[in-house]
Amino acid sequence: MNNDTKGKNIAIISYFTIIGAVIALFMNSEKKSSFAAFHIRQALGIFLSFFLIGYFIGYFDSWTISSAFYLFYFILWIYGFIGALQGETKLIPILGAQFQKIFKNV
């Protein structure tokens, strides 16, 4: 398996739950793929911010706010996942640049 295919596979794995992102992080530790690292940073950012912000959204006790929150993060996840499938390094809207800065050591 060449490096491009392996990097793409790692990038796709990173979007399957937080556990997939951690597994992809370890898979990318030997031979670093910049494409895989980009998507690992995006996926980690999506999952960690989902849990962090979701904790506070839960206190609103409103299905409208909760539904909007879930829909927003689902759209971000789809955007990143489709980018990984197509082999593109597109930042996810709004938060993508911050995720690249925060997780720059990944």
Side-chain angles (χ1 to χ4, degrees), residues 20-53:
V22 172
I23 290 170
L25 185 64
F26 285 113
M27 288 174 67
N28 197 38
S29 63
E30 289 178 17
K31 296 180 181 176
K32 290 251 184 210
S33 165
S34 60
F35 177 75
F38 173 85
H39 282 286
I40 291 170
R41 288 189 290 267
Q42 295 290 292
L44 274 175
I46 288 171
F47 292 126
L48 293 178
S49 66
F50 174 79
F51 292 127
L52 180 69
I53 297 170

Side-chain angles (χ1 to χ4, degrees), residues 35-97:
F35 177 75
F38 173 85
H39 282 286
I40 291 170
R41 288 189 290 267
Q42 295 290 292
L44 274 175
I46 288 171
F47 292 126
L48 293 178
S49 66
F50 174 79
F51 292 127
L52 180 69
I53 297 170
Y55 179 77
F56 297 106
I57 293 292
Y59 285 112
F60 284 107
D61 197 27
S62 167
W63 68 270
T64 353
I65 294 173
S66 297
S67 298
F69 172 74
Y70 282 114
L71 182 64
F72 173 71
Y73 271 97
F74 182 68
I75 290 170
L76 290 182
W77 181 84
I78 288 291
Y79 191 84
F81 184 69
I82 289 175
L85 285 175
Q86 293 176 343
E88 299 172 347
T89 55
K90 295 187 298 187
L91 293 172
I92 61 170
I94 302 169
L95 302 170

